[in-house]
Amino acid sequence: DAEPLAPMPIRVKPYQHQIYAFNLGISLDTAAYFLEMGTGKTLPSIAVAGYRYISSQVKRLLIVCPASVMPVWEQEIKIFAAYPAHVEVLDGPVKKRCEILFGWHTTDDLQVAIINYEGARSMTEDLLAWQPDMMILDEAHRCKTPGSQQSKAMARIGAKTKYKLALTGTPITNSPLDVYGIYRALDPNIFGTSFYAFRNRYAIMGGFENRQVIGYKNIEDLAEKIHNIAFRVRKDECLDLPEMTDVYRTCRLEPKAQALYDQMRKESVAELEAGETVIAANVLSKLLRLSQIAGGYLDGEQVSTAKLDLLA
């Protein structure tokens, strides 16, 4: 069994592959977690950040991620981090984000700023001025296009940040060349700072004016360099992951909503029994309206909160 090289400052027991990821993350200044979705990339990242905070290596942590998972990071740090962390989600107008970033109260807690990729691109200078000690790039394949402003911004911030982690389950989405943008942000010494030199080494060009990638070469060398700082895991390799569990919940509509549902159902049945012409679209329309009532909204008007209450 894997043993952590140092105590993991988290509140839950990690899986074996998460311990391996943690050990890599604290052994190298920059690392990549290529963990398949559902295997838990966030937990070892929180543990690595905590280790570096407790070791007085990191005071400010910048997390760049898609907008949809910004609140997830905030929540999971609060749940799993076994160390003091002050978390701020940078959203809204740029002025508001800057006020949060530079209005930080003096505290001994780890300062964690969470921002989406678009926001980081538009606030590159401000984030550089904030001087993060560590950066986590979640869904790091967002940096894969080396010519994009987004990818260039991550490379600029990465160049000024000592400790870095890149997280993605899909480092290669279309082409082996996709890794260049990620590694430029992590450690430009691995593949250099010229995409054209990188492409010339690993791609076979052809097609119109010799501008199209028609094949690849030196793939073994590419894979070796990728895995110098990366840890890759698929779900089927994680033997201690629990089985998927389906939990079914039931709820009852409120009396008024139930009465509306019953009335519409009876009217639909009565129409069919009366021998009216049955058209598939008509049947589907009635089923849809019954489904809408069960969901809580009919014709834009809220008729029930039963499912929302159950979800909450």
Side-chain angles (χ1 to χ4, degrees), residues 58 69 103 116 120 122 124 173 184 191 213 234 265 272 288:
V58 167
V69 296
N116 62 26
S122 64
T124 303
T173 53
R184 182 176 62 179
F191 290 122
V213 176
R234 299 191 308 270
R265 181 171 55 83
L272 293 173
L288 176 62

Side-chain angles (χ1 to χ4, degrees), residues 15-17 39 233-243:
Y15 295 115
Q16 286 289 295
H17 65 281
T39 55
V233 160
R234 299 191 308 270
K235 271 186 183 178
D236 57 10
E237 296 172 323
C238 302
L239 301 180
D240 56 343
L241 275 180
E243 291 295 321

Side-chain angles (χ1 to χ4, degrees), residues 242-249:
E243 291 295 321
M244 183 73 75
T245 303
D246 292 319
V247 179
Y248 295 92
R249 302 283 191 222

